[in-house]
Amino acid sequence: MEDLTNDEIVLAGLGEVGGRGSRLRKAVKGEMGASRFRKQFLERVHKLPRNIQKALMNGRAQISDAPYYATAEIQGNRCEMIKPSQSEQIGVTNIDGGKLGKDRFLVLSAIRLLWDAGSIEGSFTGSGDPNFMNGEWDMEINGKKVFEKMPIRKFHDSWYGYRTQAQYATYTLNNPKIIEPQTPIEFNVTFPNQVQGFLKVFFEGTVVYGH
């Protein structure tokens, strides 16, 4: 595994706290793997609750890549992707009751939105008709909107021009969000006209669990 650089250590705020920082740095280095969102997590690990940092140091907490995901049918010109009434179901969603699981902290680094015309079990490889591309999406965390009236085209901006190697249909956050355990999440999509089909959203980043 690749070692943390000095810049990464400074960004994480781990190089300035003596023994505690050294132990936390070693714990993070041992768990992170080669995640492409590693730097974003490191920049925010010191913002996690102190008990979580302590759990990382003594090995009671683990770090792994997300994603969480949810799938839903478009109803007319709107799709409510995450609902309190939706239980966890393999292939449909791993978010139970519209909340992350107990003792799960997520540093959300990217969102991916896919469309399928025919089935909730489809391949989700299409980008939709013009009405789909002209839609907007909102996201709420704990009742507060963190994204509002965002154009769906933002998921495809990085697919054109010089960034043709970017992950398809993915919006990378400039300011990743920390989502705490059992925090209500909403993700809704609205279209200018009726659209038929199904949407699948992925929340990608780094999750801390098991403390």
Side-chain angles (χ1 to χ4, degrees):
M1 154 123 201
E2 180 183 355
D3 285 345
L4 302 180
T5 67
N6 289 334
D7 286 344
E8 288 174 332
I9 293 168
V10 171
L11 285 172
L14 305 180
E16 57 190 38
V17 200
R20 185 180 73 84
S22 177
R23 293 195 303 273
L24 183 55
R25 180 173 69 246
K26 183 181 293 185
V28 171
K29 181 173 68 173
E31 294 291 345
M32 277 307 297
S35 168
R36 61 196 177 99
F37 299 124
R38 182 174 69 174
K39 279 189 171 67
Q40 292 177 333
F41 175 81
L42 288 172
E43 290 170 356
R44 287 157 181 79
V45 66
H46 67 286
K47 295 182 179 180
L48 295 172
R50 183 60 60 87
N51 66 308
I52 305 301
Q53 297 184 41
K54 186 176 180 180
L56 284 169
M57 286 188 285
N58 61 30
R60 290 188 295 109
Q62 306 294 319
I63 301 170
S64 71
D65 294 341
Y68 287 93
Y69 69 94
T71 319
E73 184 176 8
I74 302 169
Q75 302 288 340
N77 71 330
R78 184 169 171 83
C79 188
E80 297 179 355
M81 303 285 305
I82 302 173
K83 301 177 181 179
S85 59
Q86 176 67 58
S87 299
E88 186 175 357
Q89 181 180 347
I90 295 175
V92 175
T93 183
N94 60 356
I95 302 172
D96 192 46
K99 301 177 181 179
L100 299 187
K102 183 181 178 181
D103 297 332
R104 297 292 193 272
F105 280 81
L106 172 65
V107 177
L108 177 64
S109 296
I111 303 171
R112 192 177 190 200
L113 185 67
L114 302 173
W115 175 80
D116 190 271
S119 172
I120 200 168
E121 299 175 348
S123 59
F124 290 93
T125 57
S127 58
D129 61 23
N131 286 319
F132 172 87
M133 294 297 289
N134 288 326
E136 296 178 341
W137 58 278
D138 303 306
M139 183 175 181
E140 291 187 11
I141 299 176
N142 202 23
K144 296 181 180 180
K145 283 194 175 182
V146 293
F147 295 102
E148 185 174 12
K149 295 184 178 181
M150 294 287 287
I152 284 180
R153 290 186 181 275
K154 294 292 289 184
F155 288 102
H156 299 272
D157 284 350
S158 62
W159 191 248
Y160 303 105
Y162 71 94
R163 293 189 62 199
T164 54
Q165 299 303 313
Q167 187 178 23
Y168 179 70
T170 298
Y171 174 68
T172 301
L173 279 62
N174 292 322
N175 183 24
K177 310 296 182 185
I178 296 179
I179 304 178
E180 298 185 359
Q182 296 294 289
T183 298
I185 304 169
E186 292 186 25
F187 189 92
N188 302 310
V189 181
T190 305
F191 303 100
N193 299 296
Q194 289 192 2
V195 176
Q196 293 186 348
F198 301 82
L199 298 179
K200 185 181 289 285
V201 64
F202 292 91
F203 298 138
E204 302 189 2
T206 304
V207 65
V208 182
Y209 66 94
H211 53 89

